[in-house]
């Protein structure tokens, strides 16, 4: 008799492909462990002047894999995204729920900190699973290359699938 696979948080924590930031660069992928992913809803007044926000804050550990051109970097990156919408409740955050945020170069809604703070573009989040106050999220975005700030290299892609804990 074959056991059915576990559902929810326990089953996802055991998969090696999760809980990492994959930083897709022109020279190949870099990989960082996810240390402290948190989410919360920032409540506004229901207008576009003060919208609700799905706030994601992610801290990463030191690189598991990186390239020669960033070997000097010993820091631990972080990423913050504030997805805005007129109204948002925790009940909305079910599997299949998704949001997008384009952001602008000088935008304050989404940024990635590597060696310097830089805006992220084409930010997307999708809820894959829910376990109480914990959300399994897939988050993606693009940002300028983390070692070439002059625009001479293609945009980097950020890709994270991890369990996020509700910030209290």
């Amino acid at each position: 008799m074959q056991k059915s696979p576990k559902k929810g948080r326990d089953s996802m924590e055991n998969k090696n492909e999760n809980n990492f930031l994959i930083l897709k660069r022109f020279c190949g992928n870099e990989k960082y462990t996810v240390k402290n992913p948190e989410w919360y809803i920032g409540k506004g007044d229901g207008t576009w002047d003060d919208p609700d926000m799905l706030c994601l804050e992610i801290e990463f550990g030191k690189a598991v894999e990186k390239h020669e051109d960033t070997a000097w970097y010993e820091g631990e990156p972080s990423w913050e995204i504030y997805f805005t919408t007129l109204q948002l409740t925790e009940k909305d955050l079910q599997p299949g729920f998704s949001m997008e945020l384009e952001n602008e170069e000088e935008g304050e809604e989404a940024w990635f900190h590597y060696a310097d703070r830089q805006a992220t573009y084409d930010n997307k989040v999708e809820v894959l699973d829910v376990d109480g106050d914990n959300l399994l999220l897939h988050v993606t975005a693009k940002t300028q290359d983390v070692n070439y700030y002059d625009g001479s290299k293609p945009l980097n892609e950020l890709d994270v699938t991890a369990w996020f804990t509700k910030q209290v």
Side-chain angles (χ1 to χ4, degrees):
M1 181 175 193
Q2 193 174 15
K3 291 183 180 179
S4 61
K6 286 185 178 180
K7 294 188 182 213
R9 185 175 181 141
D10 291 335
S11 66
M12 296 311 293
E13 285 181 338
N14 294 326
K15 292 188 176 182
N16 291 334
E17 68 269 16
N18 292 314
N19 294 320
F20 288 99
L21 162 67
I22 305 300
L23 179 62
K24 299 173 184 178
R25 298 184 59 219
F26 72 95
C27 53
N29 294 347
E30 294 190 11
K31 189 175 187 178
Y32 295 83
T33 56
V34 176
K35 281 183 21 180
N36 189 25
E38 294 184 320
W39 71 273
Y40 64 94
I41 293 177
K43 295 304 285 181
D45 67 8
T47 68
W48 282 116
D49 290 332
D50 187 18
D52 289 353
M53 293 185 293
L54 174 59
C55 307
L56 305 180
E57 299 176 356
I58 315 166
E59 296 175 5
F60 303 100
K62 294 192 185 309
V64 175
E65 299 171 12
K66 61 183 171 179
H67 293 280
E68 290 179 15
D69 73 325
T70 55
W72 56 269
Y73 180 70
E74 295 185 17
E76 298 179 351
S78 63
W79 187 10
E80 292 186 23
I81 311 169
Y82 303 98
F83 292 93
T84 57
T85 188
L86 281 179
Q87 294 182 342
L88 182 66
T89 68
E90 289 185 30
K91 291 179 184 177
D92 295 323
L93 303 176
Q94 297 300 317
F97 176 86
S98 64
M99 293 183 82
E100 295 185 15
L101 172 69
E102 291 299 318
N103 205 21
E104 298 175 13
E105 189 169 339
E106 300 300 320
E108 292 295 318
E109 293 84 17
W111 58 272
F112 181 67
H113 189 274
Y114 191 87
D116 194 14
R117 180 178 161 158
Q118 54 201 62
T120 60
Y121 315 101
D122 299 327
N123 299 274
K124 297 176 183 165
V125 62
E126 180 181 3
V127 177
L128 301 177
D129 200 359
V130 178
D131 183 12
D133 286 340
N134 301 306
L135 302 175
L136 179 62
L137 301 178
H138 181 222
V139 187
T140 60
K142 295 178 182 176
T143 192
Q144 69 182 355
D145 189 81
V146 296
N147 197 34
Y148 295 89
Y149 297 101
D150 61 0
S152 65
K153 304 296 183 206
L155 292 175
N156 291 181
E157 294 180 26
L158 306 169
D159 193 321
V160 172
T161 299
W163 282 99
F164 284 67
T165 306
K166 183 178 177 184
Q167 190 179 85
V168 287

